[in-house]
Amino acid sequence: MTNSKTVCRLIGWTCTTLGALGIAYGQLGSYLRFSDLESYTYLVFGLISIWAARRRQRTAVAVLFTVGMACFLWAALALAAPTNAWAPYFGEQQPLDVLIREMIALWGGGTALREILDWRRQQTSSAS
């Protein structure tokens, strides 16, 4: 069973790496192309997640849930809207971009929800 701080740290380093690659190179082969806004968004998500992994458990869970939902909505925009509609804001969405964001959303959001449910279960069992 993984700890929410560990997941927060892993998501943070993943996002920070993607943001740094986007800022430094603008693309990763022909698989990923980063716009400036996309690169800085990844970098901010990564730095906030790394910061939260060093704080209290509830801070890590809150950041995991927030970053997870933000990545889920970002990936849903790429799937729901035509690629050209969002290209001026977030760049052309590649399938690997959407897959990475969905992985971050499921992993971060799922871990946060599991931690919340475990905490609630612990609170109800100790109150009995």
Side-chain angles (χ1 to χ4, degrees), residues 3 6 13 19 21 23 27 36-38 47-48 50 56 67 81 104 110 114 120 123 127:
N3 186 358
T6 304
W13 281 109
L21 284 171
I23 292 169
Q27 68 180 23
D36 287 338
L37 180 61
E38 189 176 10
L47 293 176
I48 288 172
I50 292 170
R56 300 172 97 185
V67 168
I104 290 170
R114 191 194 72 224
R120 185 176 169 118
Q123 294 297 320

Side-chain angles (χ1 to χ4, degrees), residues 34-102:
F34 300 101
S35 68
D36 287 338
L37 180 61
E38 189 176 10
S39 300
Y40 288 112
T41 303
Y42 272 129
L43 191 62
V44 167
F45 283 170
L47 293 176
I48 288 172
S49 296
I50 292 170
W51 171 81
R54 296 177 158 264
R55 301 291 171 223
R56 300 172 97 185
Q57 186 81 11
R58 68 176 113 178
T59 305
V61 170
V63 168
L64 273 175
F65 185 75
T66 305
V67 168
M69 290 306 295
C71 283
F72 175 76
L73 293 173
W74 190 4
L77 282 175
L79 292 174
T83 309
N84 295 332
W86 296 101
Y89 305 108
F90 285 107
E92 295 288 332
Q93 303 299 313
Q94 304 297 319
L96 188 57
D97 288 331
V98 177
L99 180 67
I100 290 170
R101 284 186 215 113
E102 286 296 326

Side-chain angles (χ1 to χ4, degrees), residues 118-128:
D118 287 347
W119 173 79
R120 185 176 169 118
R121 192 175 309 120
Q122 179 185 10
Q123 294 297 320
T124 56
S125 67
S126 65
S128 303

